[in-house]
């Protein structure tokens, strides 16, 4: 892979004292590092000596004091541009320079050979354009000086006129108009150039800033839609109160003024702990049992099968066990296969998927020698089929018993209804009230007047012995004419006749 690391920088660069110098630089690296965060460092030495750091893209406090606030990158590290700019070059800045990149995860590389910076004396001089002069008439004399450095914006320009005996000067503040440039994206969270990563549920704020004069109009866009914008400002925040996975994607900041446009992308990545997918489960053939464990997580998790005697990960074969694993984006898949053999096998395995935010577990059981297998968690297996058949048989049996009981109750009710109708017809009296008392006929007594049986006794209380057959008894009630006899003065006694018939038709 070392052959993939390369850079394109000149051997020599010359600048005049007091002006700015630029060292053009482009670099290459292995393709698997494309989406990794990175830090760019320029050294003013032959070796990576921390005392001679000319530029540090992440932390300016690591730069040497003589370079601090004078160096910057003119390009974008995410676009493989590592060009260095040094403002207000001094004679002490001369010497060797080389670029170093540090990727997240420990990958780093020093790009050689070095570039030699040569600093010469300032030789540029202004040009004065003479004009025809007439005594007593005003005259315009033009003085020009070529410069392309934007650092003169906001600075004072002094014009002096000296005569043999007197002198005069005028001060002008320079306003250098230019198109948007040096557009940068920063965040208090984990941000590096074109990449921001935040844990799910947390808030995030991303700042887009640019240099331009006049000030630029800034706009944040996502999937072609405008999120927010500001007029006449060189800064614009984009805020996420609570990040979800749906917020993952590429966001674009666009800066525009009357002289041009600049834009830059940033990728927002939402991190979360592993979650077992519903695709997990077990299947079997006559020769083997295979359990699949799938999980989604960001950053990608490490999948390990925990077995009674060892832990297995990646692609391995140990005896009758074989593991296979593949990761794609936020999804990691692993399989564990138990192949048949001479002896029985009963293996319990635990699939563990872990990243820096947490761990997810999935338990499976692998049974051989004709037995079905079962999976834990969200998996399905053939032992579930056996259990399912057993439950079907139990439910069918319970259903048959329930139907039989309901049929018996309906038949019993029908018989009771028919007996009720028969007794009503036998009474031959439309004014008769029919009372059904489900208790033994031997418990009934046909009393009269106030000394008759209490209501509780009519409900089947009595003194019948335990175990007596309870027969249905029907009572027909008919009012009889009053005899006119009185028991107490002012009271009229009415008599009623109760006629009982047993279920068997006996009076």
């Amino acid at each position: 892979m070392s052959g993939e690391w390369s850079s394109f920088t000149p051997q020599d660069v010359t600048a005049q004292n007091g002006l700015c110098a630029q060292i053009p630089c482009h670099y290459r690296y292995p393709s698997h590092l494309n989406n990794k965060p990175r830090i760019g460092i320029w050294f003013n030495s032959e070796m990576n000596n921390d005392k001679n750091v000319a530029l540090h893209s992440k932390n300016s406090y690591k730069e040497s004091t003589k370079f601090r606030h004078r160096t910057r990158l003119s390009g974008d590290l995410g676009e493989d541009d590592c060009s260095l700019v040094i403002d207000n070059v001094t004679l002490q800045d001369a010497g060797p320079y080389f670029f170093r990149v540090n990727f997240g995860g420990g990958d780093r590389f020093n790009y050689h050979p070095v570039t030699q910076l040569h600093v010469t004396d300032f030789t540029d001089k202004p040009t004065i354009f003479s004009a025809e002069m007439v005594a007593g008439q005003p005259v315009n004399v033009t003085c020009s000086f070529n410069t392309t450095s934007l650092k003169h914006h906001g600075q004072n320009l002094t014009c002096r006129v000296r005569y043999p005996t007197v002198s005069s000067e005028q001060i002008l503040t320079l306003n250098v108009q230019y198109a948007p440039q040096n557009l940068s994206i920063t965040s208090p969270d984990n941000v590096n150039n074109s990449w921001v990563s935040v844990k799910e549920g947390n808030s995030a704020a991303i700042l887009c800033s640019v240099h331009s004069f006049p000030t630029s109009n800034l706009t944040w866009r996502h999937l072609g839609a405008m999120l927010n914008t500001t007029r006449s400002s060189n800064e614009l925040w984009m805020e996420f109160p609570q990040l979800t996975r749906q917020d993952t994607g590429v966001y674009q900041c666009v800066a525009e003024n009357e002289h041009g446009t600049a834009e830059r992308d940033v990728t927002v990545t939402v991190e979360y702990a592993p979650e077992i997918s519903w695709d997990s489960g077990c299947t079997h053939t006559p020769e083997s049992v295979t359990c699949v464990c799938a999980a989604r997580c960001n950053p990608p998790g490490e999948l390990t099968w925990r077995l009674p005697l060892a832990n297995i990960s990646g692609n391995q074969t140990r005896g009758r066990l074989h593991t296979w694993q593949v990761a794609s984006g936020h999804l990691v898949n692993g399989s564990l296969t138990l192949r048949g053999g001479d002896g029985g096998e009963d293996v319990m395995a635990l699939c563990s998927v872990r990243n820096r935010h947490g761990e997810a577990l999935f338990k499976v059981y692998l049974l051989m020698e004709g037995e079905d297998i079962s999976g834990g968690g969200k998996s399905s297996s053939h032992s579930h089929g056996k259990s399912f058949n057993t439950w079907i048989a139990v439910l069918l049996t319970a259903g048959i018993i329930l139907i039989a009981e309901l049929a018996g109750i309906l038949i019993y009710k029908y018989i009771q209804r028919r007996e009720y109708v028969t007794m009503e017809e036998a009474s031959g009296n439309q004014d008769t009230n029919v009372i059904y008392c489900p208790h033994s006929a031997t418990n009934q007594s046909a009393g009269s007047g106030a000394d008759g049986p209490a209501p509780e006794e009519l409900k089947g209380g009595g003194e019948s012995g335990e175990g007596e057959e309870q027969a249905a008894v029907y009572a027909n009630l008919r009012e009889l004419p009053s005899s006119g006899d009185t028991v107490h003065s002012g009271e009229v006694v009415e008599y009623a006749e109760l006629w009982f018939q047993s279920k068997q038709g006996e009076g």
Side-chain angles (χ1 to χ4, degrees):
M1 292 187 351
S2 61
E4 300 183 34
W5 300 90
S6 61
S7 65
F8 304 91
T9 55
Q11 292 184 353
D12 297 278
V13 170
T14 302
Q16 294 186 35
N17 186 18
L19 300 183
C20 66
Q22 182 180 40
I23 301 177
C25 173
H26 289 82
Y27 68 110
R28 296 185 184 276
Y29 46 87
S31 59
H32 72 273
L33 300 174
N34 283 342
N35 297 323
K36 292 283 188 179
R38 65 200 70 182
I39 298 174
I41 305 173
W42 275 95
F43 293 94
N44 176 214
S45 67
E46 294 279 354
M47 304 294 293
N48 55 338
N49 189 334
D50 292 341
K51 295 181 180 180
N52 294 314
V53 175
L55 177 137
H56 195 287
S57 65
K58 185 69 173 179
N59 189 352
S60 61
Y61 289 100
K62 293 185 178 181
E63 297 170 355
S64 173
T65 305
K66 72 175 184 177
F67 288 106
R68 193 170 300 167
H69 307 305
R70 289 199 302 122
T71 56
R72 53 189 168 87
L73 293 173
S74 63
D76 185 353
L77 285 178
E79 297 177 357
D80 309 335
D81 189 344
C82 49
S83 300
L84 173 67
V85 175
I86 306 174
D87 290 327
N88 300 324
V89 173
T90 66
L91 296 175
Q92 289 73 28
D93 295 334
Y97 288 81
F98 76 90
F99 177 70
R100 172 187 176 90
V101 64
N102 292 348
F103 286 94
D107 294 289
R108 58 193 66 185
F109 193 80
N110 296 330
Y111 291 94
H112 286 91
V114 300
T115 296
Q116 289 290 338
L117 174 63
H118 306 277
V119 180
T120 63
D121 292 334
F122 179 73
T123 58
D124 288 348
K125 295 181 179 181
T127 301
I128 299 177
F129 297 91
S130 60
E132 185 178 281
M133 298 182 185
V134 178
Q137 297 295 323
V139 62
N140 290 328
V141 178
T142 302
C143 176
S144 67
F145 178 77
N146 294 326
T147 179
T148 57
S149 179
L150 292 178
K151 66 187 180 67
H152 292 149
H153 174 68
Q155 296 186 359
N156 294 331
L157 175 65
T158 303
C159 178
R160 286 190 186 91
V161 178
R162 290 190 178 92
Y163 291 98
T165 57
V166 295
S167 65
S168 177
E169 67 179 34
Q170 182 69 34
I171 298 177
L172 173 68
T173 300
L174 298 177
N175 289 320
V176 182
Q177 296 192 10
Y178 57 98
Q181 58 181 258
N182 298 331
L183 190 152
S184 64
I185 294 177
T186 58
S187 172
D189 303 294
N190 183 15
V191 60
N192 188 284
N193 292 303
S194 58
W195 178 74
V196 177
S197 182
V198 184
K199 185 179 179 183
E200 186 174 38
N202 290 352
S203 61
I206 305 174
L207 175 65
C208 175
S209 60
V210 69
H211 295 286
S212 68
F213 186 80
T215 55
S216 298
N217 300 327
L218 291 177
T219 303
W220 277 108
R221 299 181 182 273
H222 178 54
L223 300 177
M226 184 175 67
L227 300 181
N228 59 352
T229 186
T230 182
R231 298 287 178 182
S232 301
S233 174
N234 279 347
E235 289 189 353
L236 179 62
W237 285 92
M238 178 174 60
E239 298 182 351
F240 299 88
Q242 188 174 27
L243 277 164
T244 66
R245 296 172 207 180
Q246 287 68 36
D247 295 319
T248 297
V250 178
Y251 295 79
Q252 183 182 56
C253 179
V254 180
E256 182 178 9
N257 71 2
E258 60 192 80
H259 300 291
T261 302
E263 60 184 46
R264 188 169 182 180
D265 294 343
V266 60
T267 300
V268 175
T269 301
V270 180
E271 298 188 355
Y272 55 96
E275 296 176 353
I276 299 297
S277 170
W278 289 102
D279 298 334
S280 302
C282 299
T283 59
H284 84 293
T285 66
E287 296 81 18
S288 65
V289 177
T290 298
C291 290
V292 175
C293 178
R296 293 189 176 276
C297 53
N298 186 38
E302 298 179 359
L303 190 151
T304 303
W305 290 98
R306 299 179 184 175
L307 300 167
L309 298 180
N311 294 338
I312 306 179
S313 61
N315 300 330
Q316 297 188 44
T317 298
R318 294 192 179 184
R320 296 169 59 194
L321 291 171
H322 174 74
T323 60
W324 171 85
Q325 182 176 327
V326 63
S328 177
H330 294 181
L331 181 64
V332 58
N333 280 282
S335 68
L336 176 65
T337 299
L338 174 64
R339 305 190 186 281
D342 297 333
E345 188 84 22
D346 182 352
V347 177
M348 189 279 289
L350 193 65
C351 172
S352 166
V353 182
R354 177 194 296 270
N355 68 5
R356 60 172 168 260
H357 298 299
E359 180 183 29
L361 301 174
F362 176 66
K363 183 185 293 184
V364 296
Y365 294 90
L366 300 94
L367 306 179
M368 293 297 295
E369 205 175 56
E371 294 292 335
D372 290 321
I373 62 172
S374 64
K378 301 175 182 175
S379 70
S380 61
S381 65
H382 290 283
S383 67
H384 290 173
K386 178 181 285 185
S387 300
F388 177 78
N389 293 335
T390 302
W391 276 107
I392 288 294
V394 171
L395 291 175
L396 287 175
T397 303
I400 293 172
I401 294 174
L402 179 60
I403 293 172
E405 291 179 349
L406 290 174
I409 292 174
L410 291 174
I411 295 172
Y412 181 68
K413 291 293 185 181
Y414 177 77
I415 294 174
Q416 290 178 345
R417 178 63 180 167
R418 293 298 302 164
E419 290 177 344
Y420 169 83
V421 173
T422 300
M423 290 304 302
E424 185 175 25
E425 293 173 351
S427 67
N429 189 340
Q430 299 298 327
D431 298 327
T432 299
N433 296 323
V434 179
I435 305 173
Y436 168 64
C437 302
H439 54 74
S440 174
T442 59
N443 289 340
Q444 304 302 324
S445 58
S448 61
D451 298 326
E456 287 77 13
E457 296 174 322
L458 288 175
K459 293 180 182 177
E463 299 176 354
S464 62
E466 294 183 2
E468 278 192 288
E469 181 181 357
Q470 299 292 316
V473 178
Y474 294 84
N476 291 329
L477 176 65
R478 266 200 317 249
E479 284 188 1
L480 298 179
S482 175
S483 62
D485 295 335
T486 60
V487 179
H488 299 286
S489 175
E491 293 183 354
V492 177
V493 178
E494 294 184 350
Y495 295 89
E497 178 184 78
L498 292 178
W499 177 70
F500 294 91
Q501 180 177 350
S502 71
K503 185 176 181 182
Q504 290 77 16
E506 298 177 0

